[in-house]
Amino acid sequence: MKNWIIVLCTVFIVFVGVSIPVYAEEGNDSDKKTDSLNLASKAKSAFLLEQDTGTILYDKNAHEKLPPASMTKIMTLLLIMEALDNGKIQLDEKIRISENAASMGGSQIFLEAGEEMTVNDLLKGVAIASGNDASVALAERIAGSEEAFVKKMNEKVKELGLKDTKFQNPTGLPADDHYSTAYDMAIIAQHLLKYENITEYTSKYEDYLRKGQDNEFWLVNTNKLVKFYPGVDGLKTGYTNEAKYCLTATAKKNDMRVIAVVMGADSPKVRNSIVSNMLDYSFQHFETTNLYKKGAQVAKLNLLKAKESDIKIVASQPISTVHKKGEKAEKFTTSIELNESISLPLKKGEQVGTIFVKNGDKILSKTPLVVEKKAEPASIFTLFNRTLQKIAKYN
């Protein structure tokens, strides 16, 4: 294994912060320290997370099970983006709208049964206008039926290791035994934001569907902070009588992206004020140090039986540390662990290892490492030539 990898690890100097592994853990000390801040006194629960490291910046009742309303669509969007990424659907593909999708109540883009609309426009309808009809139309296309899509949603919940979420539909319309938490919604949002182009949709304040046609429809973002808070570019609002006003928002400033979740506020004004205060707090008191950008080379694989023997290993996402502004500097190290078994062929983006950032023995973050491009087995002729070259080298 040792001759397979050239490790590019270095000791870095950073500020000691409150970093924890990329997927936020329960019971972090930072939860307890920030309770006294009282940032969300007028909400049932709230949670504030730094995106790259998963550092918890604020927590109020973050594991309380509550109805998420249309924030449910964060999971719907995650499965849509996954389907786009793996080629199951295409942005320019036209979907024929079913009677079931067209019958959805609540917020909608007024699709008609039998109408055809592109995946791209339906995605706008979900991300900007929170269209229940658009959500179901995409769900049916991806999974075959709304019920099958809901099954995928709950399978994804388990895959992400979330314990307090259960979905009954892809829209967030009221349903028995449909619940989530501020913590779980933040983690789902964290995974959605790995698809960086999602904010091209969620950041738009307004757009149009069927432009220039008689049934032209004006989309207006339900998340007003994308217009009124600098740096906010998503993600999803929610409201029902039971859930009250909810919002999962994300904002980026000076290379630091945070996710703020509020559940159970009494009005849109209160909800937006709480989220704004949480974002203010994060950007005023914390900052990040970037170690690797997404796609940056971290190491190199030397697979003797591969068509191209030297294969770049890159960061699957940005790798950073978080620290409070003004803290004293300390040392930390990075280390790499390869998967025990790496076999050909390898797909582009396939995970082959993990990079750990540590302060002494404490793990600050862990991030998947992936191959930059696909790696295929070498032909017998190529292997024969390599053998001859080695023989010639040592003679």
Side-chain angles (χ1 to χ4, degrees), residues 69-71 73-74 77 106-109 124-132 171 201-207 217-228 232-239 245-249 267-269 271-272 275:
S70 278
M71 292 197 306
K73 295 186 181 79
I74 298 173
L77 287 169
S107 55
Q108 54 186 295
I109 59 173
K124 288 181 185 179
V126 179
I128 301 173
S130 192
N132 295 326
T171 61
Y201 295 88
T202 59
S203 64
K204 289 184 178 181
Y205 184 69
E206 59 183 353
D207 206 331
F217 187 77
W218 182 34
L219 299 173
V220 180
N221 203 319
T222 57
N223 179 10
K224 306 308 179 188
L225 292 183
V226 301
K227 184 175 183 179
F228 297 109
V232 170
D233 51 8
L235 277 166
K236 193 71 205 66
T237 59
Y239 171 78
Y245 292 90
C246 308
L247 173 59
T248 297
S267 70
K269 183 177 180 180
R271 174 190 66 190
N272 292 347
V275 170

Side-chain angles (χ1 to χ4, degrees), residues 30-70:
S30 60
D31 307 13
K32 301 167 187 175
K33 292 177 182 176
T34 55
D35 284 343
S36 61
L37 294 172
N38 207 23
L39 295 176
S41 60
K42 295 182 179 180
K44 289 183 179 179
S45 69
F47 192 65
L48 183 62
L49 185 75
E50 196 280 325
Q51 164 72 13
D52 291 347
T53 63
T55 300
I56 299 170
L57 305 180
Y58 178 78
D59 176 351
K60 177 190 174 181
N61 303 328
H63 294 280
E64 182 179 350
K65 295 178 183 178
L66 296 167
S70 278

Side-chain angles (χ1 to χ4, degrees), residues 385-395:
N385 275 344
R386 285 179 186 166
T387 302
L388 291 180
Q389 289 170 6
K390 284 189 176 183
I391 293 172
K393 182 178 178 180
Y394 292 105
N395 285 335

